[in-house]
Amino acid sequence: MVLFCKIDDVNSSLVSVSVMPILVSHFNPRPKMRLLVQKSLFSIAKCTRTPTSNTVGKFNRHRGLCTSPDPHTKVCIVGGGPAGFYTAQHIVKGRPDVQVDVYERLPVPFGLVRFGVAPDHPEVKNVINTFTQTAQHERCRFLGNVTVGKDVSVEELRRAYHAVVLSYGAEGNRSMGVPGEHLSGVYSAKDFVGWYNGLPYNKELRPDLSHDTAVILGQGNVALDVARILLAPLDMLKTTDITQVALDALAGSQVRRVLIVGRRGPMQVACTIKELREMVNLPGTQPDLLTEDFHGVQEALKELARPRKRLTELMLKALQEQGARQGDRKWGFRFLRGPLEVLPTPDGTRAAAIRLALNRLEGSGEGARAVPTGEVEEVPCGIVISSIGYKSLPIDPAVPFDPRKAIVPNNMGRVQDNTGLYCSGWVKTGPTGVIATTMNNSFDTGRVVLQDLDSGAVDLTEAKPGLQGIAPLLEKRGTAARAGAYRDFS
Amino acid sequence: MSKRVCLQSILSVQKACLWGVLSGLGFQSARHQLHLLPRRQISRCSQLFNASQHNSSTTPKVLVHFVNQDGVKSSVTVSEGETLLDVVINKNLDISGFGACEGTLACSTCHLVFEEDVFDRLEPMVDEEVDMLDLAYGVTKTSRLGCQVTVEGWMDGMTVYVPQDVKDQREISKGSK
């Protein structure tokens, strides 16, 4: 199944007939989510413009993909998440003669905005409106269900397009590398998030929530999202677009305490203040912080820059007020601890506890290093969730990749030694930052692409076929026929 | 289910209209409780409200200058009571990526830099606005989020700047002096 959706040229009956059943069966979204999906698909489908030309080949004739005359400059973007759409937005706006095609592995667009952002953060998902506008632009197309690197190679894309931008994000996750991490009851935060957000790959995760304590390793915003979802009152979750499967599982959850573990101290915590504030204010919960973890922190406050200072002050406030709050569920940071081993139950089948190494800090501030003191601690827990970071993976042997930093090596978005090849988003910078960070970094790449197109650094004298060069390859390889939707489109 | 959704949307629109009326009448404190309402609903209602005011020719008009990322200045005449995010959207100003979360305090993309004397007179910030500004790109001592600043009569003639990278920011300050 390849979804060649021209987000405003597709015939509506095709979309509703061929896409909706697939979406509903794959994602099993809850009613609100389903509405969102329907809304975006109907906006995809709403234009009923009749294709006008029958001289531009099978693709264009059937789906009205062609604007006349065909834009000369062809740019393709690999990955339909926020980085891809922000890059597309900048490029489409920057040149009147450019056609931008966004290829995406999933059938639906918007990547982590749809499958990463927590269900209780619907306001962040408003960015989808801007992306939809970009996708509806007459010189932009969304091409779903195409796995670049498998269905089509980067080399083939480079032959068909003047410029190729890699914005495929960070689909891997860093592993803890400790014994026991493959035991049952140990999950990656990435899979857990995918599960409660309805990502098809994580549909079968079925986490066992019949335990009192969950330990999350890592203290970034994803860790706090997971902690919040595990502890949030069910009535609160019911108002979100969390999947029904996750809601049912959370309704039977026995989790009463979530410990969020980090190698370094409170002044190095990776989350941002919004997520911490939500944790502090979460109804029915109380903080469970250790006074000794905050030794010397009050004194160091005045040296900190405003963002770090406010974040630290909020933690101190939570510490001071923790006895006063009511709630049968607890959350707490555990600082200066790193995982050594996940310990199994006596029968060896699943996680029973985690052994942590105690650390001390060497140096101070953001660059402080955690050094083991030699002491260890065991924390009984039936659930371990590793949230120590996402990681980009190589997409194609022909594309340079830095395995240590897990990014595509680049200079301001230009991929090293590869004229006409660019990157944006997490594959360019590494997997950190909020939506504004990705927006700015994608606009920066868009700017660089436009500069190279304008300056002649990328050769535009040669005509490139764009999608018309790629479509026959997909058809020949059967990608197109995999699930039928593509046949409907063509 | 559709009935329930419909009812919810009617309720939320009513709430938003209430906001529009209150803010239009100058009840600024109301925004602090209702600041998480979706901006689009708010602006739709405030447009209706402003339109009725416009008919009676009583809406004072305020001149505001915007300098975008590329240093290009646009001058617009706007109504009191609109937020600066509303202004950018309604006047279709050319500022890439502005207001990604649509005024729900979930991002920092409507970040604007004010002149010091104007900044000092603005309504105080709520914690949630500072939370987002702490993550903003090129934040300064006189930064605010455009979605949280409502145009008032005394702002007539002010200039607001879209932050740029460090080099461009320096050029802006040079240019404005």
Side-chain angles (χ1 to χ4, degrees):
Chain A
M1 170 184 63
V2 182
L3 297 183
F4 282 88
C5 294
K6 171 67 194 89
I7 295 210
D8 69 10
D9 276 359
V10 178
N11 180 299
S12 62
S13 64
L14 287 182
V15 172
S16 52
V17 169
S18 61
V19 181
M20 282 312 293
I22 295 161
L23 278 167
V24 174
S25 65
H26 265 52
F27 304 118
N28 185 25
R30 282 166 36 71
K32 212 171 156 191
M33 170 76 165
R34 199 173 297 143
L35 265 180
L36 184 78
V37 171
Q38 278 176 352
K39 201 175 135 196
S40 60
L41 281 168
F42 288 141
S43 69
I44 284 171
K46 75 182 175 198
C47 176
T48 52
R49 195 184 331 161
T50 316
T52 49
S53 165
N54 58 4
T55 60
V56 288
K58 196 172 165 193
F59 261 81
N60 295 334
R61 188 171 72 243
H62 287 280
R63 292 192 318 281
L65 286 180
C66 185
T67 54
S68 187
D70 196 24
H72 171 78
T73 308
K74 307 285 198 301
V75 174
C76 104
I77 292 181
V78 179
F85 273 101
Y86 274 129
T87 312
Q89 179 184 333
H90 200 86
I91 296 173
V92 165
K93 192 180 149 196
R95 273 181 82 100
D97 72 334
V98 70
Q99 167 71 46
V100 177
D101 294 340
V102 181
Y103 289 82
E104 164 62 43
R105 186 175 57 164
L106 287 169
V108 288
F110 313 139
L112 280 186
V113 175
R114 180 167 273 154
F115 296 114
V117 170
D120 58 340
H121 287 169
E123 62 284 350
V124 178
K125 301 187 190 192
N126 281 345
V127 296
I128 285 179
N129 296 329
T130 308
F131 299 157
T132 304
Q133 271 179 19
T134 300
Q136 284 176 335
H137 194 284
E138 58 176 0
R139 288 181 285 109
C140 185
R141 281 181 289 228
F142 172 77
L143 306 139
N145 228 21
V146 180
T147 305
V148 172
K150 197 174 112 205
D151 299 328
V152 60
S153 74
V154 172
E155 270 315 301
E156 285 162 341
L157 288 175
R158 294 185 69 188
R159 278 200 289 276
Y161 290 87
H162 293 104
V164 174
V165 184
L166 305 170
S167 311
Y168 62 86
E171 59 175 304
N173 52 278
R174 290 172 56 205
S175 66
M176 297 187 283
V178 300
E181 69 178 315
H182 301 296
L183 285 169
S184 161
V186 183
Y187 310 96
S188 80
K190 185 181 154 288
D191 292 346
F192 196 82
V193 169
W195 169 72
Y196 65 62
N197 275 333
L199 187 65
Y201 308 124
N202 302 123
K203 206 175 138 195
E204 306 300 324
L205 188 73
R206 298 196 182 95
D208 174 3
L209 303 177
S210 63
H211 304 272
D212 174 76
T213 300
V215 166
I216 303 178
L217 296 153
Q219 298 178 322
N221 284 341
V222 176
L224 265 67
D225 282 349
V226 170
R228 202 173 62 251
I229 296 296
L230 279 172
L231 295 176
L234 211 59
D235 286 343
M236 200 178 119
L237 292 177
K238 277 181 187 163
T239 65
T240 72
D241 62 10
I242 194 168
T243 56
Q244 189 64 49
V245 171
L247 195 62
D248 293 344
L250 288 163
S253 166
Q254 300 297 309
V255 176
R256 291 293 172 269
R257 190 168 74 133
V258 176
L259 299 176
I260 309 160
V261 176
R263 286 179 305 120
R264 301 193 293 167
M267 286 183 289
Q268 288 80 30
V269 74
C271 62
T272 58
I273 189 165
K274 179 193 177 199
E275 280 69 16
L276 179 63
R277 198 182 293 286
E278 286 174 323
M279 209 65 235
V280 171
N281 294 333
L282 192 65
T285 68
Q286 48 175 318
D288 170 9
L289 300 165
L290 303 176
T291 311
E292 61 265 31
D293 278 356
F294 290 84
H295 182 71
V297 170
Q298 183 74 51
E299 295 71 31
L301 267 185
K302 59 179 184 301
E303 305 294 326
L304 302 176
R306 187 179 80 173
R308 176 62 72 187
K309 184 170 177 230
R310 295 179 68 245
L311 180 62
T312 313
E313 280 172 342
L314 185 57
M315 265 187 281
L316 285 171
K317 187 164 169 260
L319 175 70
Q320 282 152 13
E321 294 173 359
Q322 70 182 4
R325 277 184 68 98
Q326 300 294 315
D328 62 341
R329 282 158 294 139
K330 291 182 174 181
W331 65 273
F333 287 120
R334 290 293 178 270
F335 292 106
L336 296 165
R337 287 156 171 86
L340 284 177
E341 183 176 1
V342 181
L343 304 168
T345 48
D347 62 4
T349 55
R350 55 166 296 114
I354 186 159
R355 181 177 292 147
L356 301 169
L358 300 196
N359 296 335
R360 63 182 171 80
L361 282 187
E362 220 168 61
S364 61
E366 308 293 333
R369 284 181 55 235
V371 182
T373 62
E375 290 171 84
V376 297
E377 177 183 89
E378 279 175 21
V379 180
C381 60
I383 302 166
V384 175
I385 299 175
S386 138
S387 181
I388 53 175
Y390 289 10
K391 190 174 86 174
S392 292
L393 303 173
I395 192 172
D396 192 309
V399 177
F401 191 79
D402 179 341
R404 198 176 54 84
K405 293 187 190 159
I407 58 169
V408 171
N410 68 90
N411 179 13
M412 296 170 64
R414 293 182 179 97
V415 177
Q416 233 170 41
D417 307 322
N418 281 271
T419 308
L421 187 62
Y422 303 85
C423 56
S424 68
W426 281 359
V427 76
K428 169 186 176 187
T429 60
T432 58
V434 293
I435 192 83
T437 326
T438 291
M439 184 185 91
N440 284 306
N441 120 29
S442 305
F443 285 168
D444 287 347
T445 294
R447 203 169 296 129
V448 160
V449 172
L450 290 171
Q451 267 171 20
D452 289 359
L453 295 175
D454 293 345
S455 71
V458 167
D459 182 14
L460 292 180
T461 54
E462 189 188 349
K464 297 268 190 174
L467 177 60
Q468 292 192 52
I470 297 301
L473 297 176
L474 295 174
E475 196 149 21
K476 199 165 76 191
R477 287 166 197 171
T479 308
R482 212 154 47 211
Y486 170 76
R487 272 203 305 270
D488 290 344
F489 281 118
S490 56
Chain B
M1 185 203 79
S2 62
K3 270 185 194 163
R4 202 181 66 194
V5 170
C6 188
L7 185 64
Q8 277 173 350
S9 65
I10 290 170
L11 284 174
S12 62
V13 168
Q14 280 180 341
K15 221 157 99 184
C17 286
L18 175 68
W19 183 93
V21 172
L22 288 177
S23 62
L25 294 174
F27 287 89
Q28 292 305 318
S29 60
R31 70 179 295 143
H32 289 186
Q33 283 107 47
L34 296 175
H35 65 258
L36 288 177
L37 284 172
R39 186 197 61 79
R40 201 194 270 161
Q41 292 181 349
I42 291 170
S43 67
R44 196 181 305 141
C45 290
S46 61
Q47 272 165 13
L48 288 173
F49 181 72
N50 289 334
S52 66
Q53 280 204 336
H54 182 72
N55 291 341
S56 59
S57 311
T58 55
T59 312
K61 290 288 184 177
V62 182
L63 178 67
V64 181
H65 310 286
F66 286 83
V67 178
N68 77 4
Q69 292 105 320
D70 304 321
V72 177
K73 190 169 176 177
S74 322
S75 302
V76 287
T77 310
V78 301
S79 307
E80 277 192 84
E82 283 185 277
T83 68
L84 290 175
L85 172 61
D86 288 338
V87 172
V88 170
I89 304 301
N90 295 340
K91 300 285 180 184
N92 204 15
L93 299 183
D94 183 18
I95 306 175
S96 288
F98 201 81
C101 79
E102 308 194 346
T104 54
L105 277 177
C107 76
S108 54
T109 58
C110 64
H111 173 196
L112 290 169
V113 179
F114 289 76
E115 291 155 331
E116 209 169 320
D117 52 334
V118 175
F119 180 83
D120 291 342
R121 290 182 67 183
L122 298 175
E123 293 280 317
M125 286 189 260
V126 292
D127 280 343
E128 287 76 7
E129 181 181 354
V130 192
D131 290 356
M132 285 300 124
L133 271 176
D134 277 352
L135 304 173
Y137 198 67
V139 73
T140 72
K141 280 184 187 161
T142 59
S143 289
R144 291 290 302 260
L145 294 183
C147 68
Q148 299 301 303
V149 177
T150 308
V151 175
E152 295 177 42
W154 62 265
M155 294 174 180
D156 194 37
M158 76 168 172
T159 304
V160 292
Y161 300 89
V162 180
Q164 315 192 340
D165 62 36
V166 178
K167 182 176 125 270
D168 293 347
Q169 191 63 51
R170 232 180 286 138
E171 283 164 6
I172 283 187
S173 358
K174 242 190 260 164
S176 69
K177 275 171 192 166

Short mmCIF file of all heavy atoms in Angstrom, two decimals, chain A residues 182-204:
data_model
loop_
_atom_site.label_atom_id
_atom_site.label_comp_id
_atom_site.label_asym_id
_atom_site.label_seq_id
_atom_site.Cartn_x
_atom_site.Cartn_y
_atom_site.Cartn_z
N HIS A 182 16.81 -7.45 28.79
CA HIS A 182 15.85 -8.11 27.88
C HIS A 182 14.79 -8.91 28.63
O HIS A 182 13.97 -9.59 28.02
CB HIS A 182 16.61 -9.00 26.89
CG HIS A 182 17.58 -8.21 26.07
ND1 HIS A 182 17.18 -7.23 25.20
CD2 HIS A 182 18.94 -8.20 26.05
CE1 HIS A 182 18.26 -6.67 24.65
NE2 HIS A 182 19.33 -7.23 25.15
N LEU A 183 14.82 -8.83 29.96
CA LEU A 183 13.79 -9.54 30.74
C LEU A 183 12.41 -8.98 30.44
O LEU A 183 12.27 -7.80 30.09
CB LEU A 183 14.07 -9.36 32.24
CG LEU A 183 15.23 -10.17 32.84
CD1 LEU A 183 15.53 -9.68 34.26
CD2 LEU A 183 14.87 -11.66 32.87
N SER A 184 11.42 -9.83 30.67
CA SER A 184 10.04 -9.36 30.55
C SER A 184 9.79 -8.33 31.65
O SER A 184 10.29 -8.46 32.77
CB SER A 184 9.14 -10.60 30.68
OG SER A 184 7.86 -10.19 31.00
N GLY A 185 9.06 -7.27 31.33
CA GLY A 185 8.84 -6.19 32.29
C GLY A 185 9.76 -5.01 32.06
O GLY A 185 9.61 -3.97 32.70
N VAL A 186 10.73 -5.17 31.14
CA VAL A 186 11.62 -4.06 30.79
C VAL A 186 11.20 -3.55 29.41
O VAL A 186 11.09 -4.34 28.46
CB VAL A 186 13.10 -4.50 30.74
CG1 VAL A 186 14.01 -3.31 30.44
CG2 VAL A 186 13.50 -5.18 32.05
N TYR A 187 10.91 -2.26 29.32
CA TYR A 187 10.44 -1.69 28.06
C TYR A 187 11.28 -0.47 27.71
O TYR A 187 11.84 0.18 28.59
CB TYR A 187 8.97 -1.24 28.18
CG TYR A 187 8.07 -2.30 28.76
CD1 TYR A 187 7.77 -2.30 30.12
CD2 TYR A 187 7.56 -3.31 27.97
CE1 TYR A 187 6.96 -3.27 30.68
CE2 TYR A 187 6.75 -4.30 28.52
CZ TYR A 187 6.46 -4.27 29.87
OH TYR A 187 5.67 -5.25 30.41
N SER A 188 11.33 -0.14 26.42
CA SER A 188 11.92 1.15 26.06
C SER A 188 10.80 2.17 26.08
O SER A 188 9.65 1.87 25.72
CB SER A 188 12.58 1.08 24.69
OG SER A 188 11.60 1.21 23.69
N ALA A 189 11.14 3.39 26.51
CA ALA A 189 10.13 4.45 26.57
C ALA A 189 9.56 4.69 25.17
O ALA A 189 8.37 4.97 25.02
CB ALA A 189 10.74 5.73 27.12
N LYS A 190 10.40 4.54 24.18
CA LYS A 190 9.96 4.76 22.80
C LYS A 190 8.80 3.81 22.44
O LYS A 190 7.79 4.24 21.88
CB LYS A 190 11.15 4.52 21.87
CG LYS A 190 10.89 4.81 20.45
CD LYS A 190 12.15 4.51 19.63
CE LYS A 190 11.76 4.19 18.22
NZ LYS A 190 11.12 2.89 18.08
N ASP A 191 8.96 2.54 22.80
CA ASP A 191 7.89 1.58 22.52
C ASP A 191 6.65 1.89 23.37
O ASP A 191 5.51 1.76 22.91
CB ASP A 191 8.36 0.15 22.83
CG ASP A 191 9.42 -0.32 21.86
OD1 ASP A 191 9.60 0.35 20.80
OD2 ASP A 191 10.10 -1.32 22.14
N PHE A 192 6.89 2.26 24.63
CA PHE A 192 5.78 2.54 25.53
C PHE A 192 4.96 3.72 25.02
O PHE A 192 3.73 3.68 24.98
CB PHE A 192 6.35 2.81 26.94
CG PHE A 192 5.31 2.72 28.02
CD1 PHE A 192 4.94 1.50 28.54
CD2 PHE A 192 4.71 3.87 28.51
CE1 PHE A 192 3.98 1.41 29.55
CE2 PHE A 192 3.75 3.80 29.51
CZ PHE A 192 3.38 2.57 30.02
N VAL A 193 5.67 4.77 24.58
CA VAL A 193 4.99 5.95 24.03
C VAL A 193 4.24 5.57 22.76
O VAL A 193 3.09 5.96 22.56
CB VAL A 193 6.02 7.08 23.75
CG1 VAL A 193 5.39 8.21 22.94
CG2 VAL A 193 6.59 7.62 25.06
N GLY A 194 4.91 4.78 21.91
CA GLY A 194 4.26 4.33 20.68
C GLY A 194 3.00 3.54 20.98
O GLY A 194 1.98 3.66 20.30
N TRP A 195 3.06 2.75 22.04
CA TRP A 195 1.91 1.92 22.43
C TRP A 195 0.73 2.79 22.86
O TRP A 195 -0.38 2.63 22.35
CB TRP A 195 2.33 0.98 23.56
CG TRP A 195 1.20 0.27 24.24
CD1 TRP A 195 0.45 -0.74 23.72
CD2 TRP A 195 0.69 0.53 25.54
NE1 TRP A 195 -0.51 -1.13 24.64
CE2 TRP A 195 -0.38 -0.37 25.76
CE3 TRP A 195 1.04 1.43 26.56
CZ2 TRP A 195 -1.11 -0.39 26.96
CZ3 TRP A 195 0.32 1.42 27.73
CH2 TRP A 195 -0.74 0.51 27.93
N TYR A 196 0.95 3.75 23.76
CA TYR A 196 -0.22 4.52 24.21
C TYR A 196 -0.69 5.53 23.16
O TYR A 196 -1.80 6.02 23.22
CB TYR A 196 -0.04 5.13 25.61
CG TYR A 196 1.01 6.19 25.86
CD1 TYR A 196 0.97 7.41 25.20
CD2 TYR A 196 2.01 6.00 26.81
CE1 TYR A 196 1.91 8.40 25.47
CE2 TYR A 196 2.96 6.98 27.08
CZ TYR A 196 2.90 8.18 26.40
OH TYR A 196 3.83 9.16 26.66
N ASN A 197 0.17 5.80 22.16
CA ASN A 197 -0.24 6.73 21.09
C ASN A 197 -0.77 6.01 19.85
O ASN A 197 -1.11 6.67 18.87
CB ASN A 197 0.93 7.61 20.68
CG ASN A 197 1.07 8.83 21.57
OD1 ASN A 197 0.09 9.30 22.14
ND2 ASN A 197 2.27 9.35 21.68
N GLY A 198 -0.79 4.68 19.86
CA GLY A 198 -1.37 3.97 18.73
C GLY A 198 -0.47 3.78 17.53
O GLY A 198 -0.94 3.63 16.40
N LEU A 199 0.85 3.80 17.74
CA LEU A 199 1.76 3.53 16.63
C LEU A 199 1.64 2.05 16.25
O LEU A 199 1.75 1.19 17.11
CB LEU A 199 3.20 3.87 17.05
CG LEU A 199 4.27 3.80 15.97
CD1 LEU A 199 4.03 4.87 14.91
CD2 LEU A 199 5.65 4.00 16.56
N PRO A 200 1.40 1.77 14.96
CA PRO A 200 1.15 0.37 14.58
C PRO A 200 2.25 -0.60 15.04
O PRO A 200 1.95 -1.72 15.46
CB PRO A 200 1.11 0.42 13.05
CG PRO A 200 0.89 1.84 12.68
CD PRO A 200 1.32 2.70 13.83
N TYR A 201 3.52 -0.16 14.97
CA TYR A 201 4.62 -1.07 15.34
C TYR A 201 4.55 -1.53 16.80
O TYR A 201 5.13 -2.54 17.17
CB TYR A 201 5.98 -0.39 15.13
CG TYR A 201 6.16 0.23 13.77
CD1 TYR A 201 6.48 1.58 13.65
CD2 TYR A 201 6.02 -0.53 12.61
CE1 TYR A 201 6.65 2.16 12.40
CE2 TYR A 201 6.19 0.04 11.36
CZ TYR A 201 6.50 1.38 11.26
OH TYR A 201 6.66 1.95 10.04
N ASN A 202 3.90 -0.74 17.66
CA ASN A 202 3.92 -1.04 19.09
C ASN A 202 2.57 -1.53 19.61
O ASN A 202 2.34 -1.59 20.81
CB ASN A 202 4.35 0.21 19.89
CG ASN A 202 5.70 0.70 19.47
OD1 ASN A 202 5.85 1.85 19.08
ND2 ASN A 202 6.69 -0.16 19.50
N LYS A 203 1.72 -1.92 18.68
CA LYS A 203 0.37 -2.32 19.04
C LYS A 203 0.37 -3.53 19.99
O LYS A 203 -0.47 -3.65 20.87
CB LYS A 203 -0.35 -2.70 17.74
CG LYS A 203 -1.84 -2.56 17.78
CD LYS A 203 -2.39 -2.85 16.39
CE LYS A 203 -3.63 -3.70 16.48
NZ LYS A 203 -3.99 -4.29 15.19
N GLU A 204 1.34 -4.42 19.80
CA GLU A 204 1.35 -5.67 20.56
C GLU A 204 2.19 -5.60 21.83
O GLU A 204 2.50 -6.63 22.42
CB GLU A 204 1.90 -6.80 19.67
CG GLU A 204 1.19 -6.98 18.33
CD GLU A 204 -0.30 -7.29 18.50
OE1 GLU A 204 -0.63 -8.00 19.47
OE2 GLU A 204 -1.10 -6.78 17.70
#
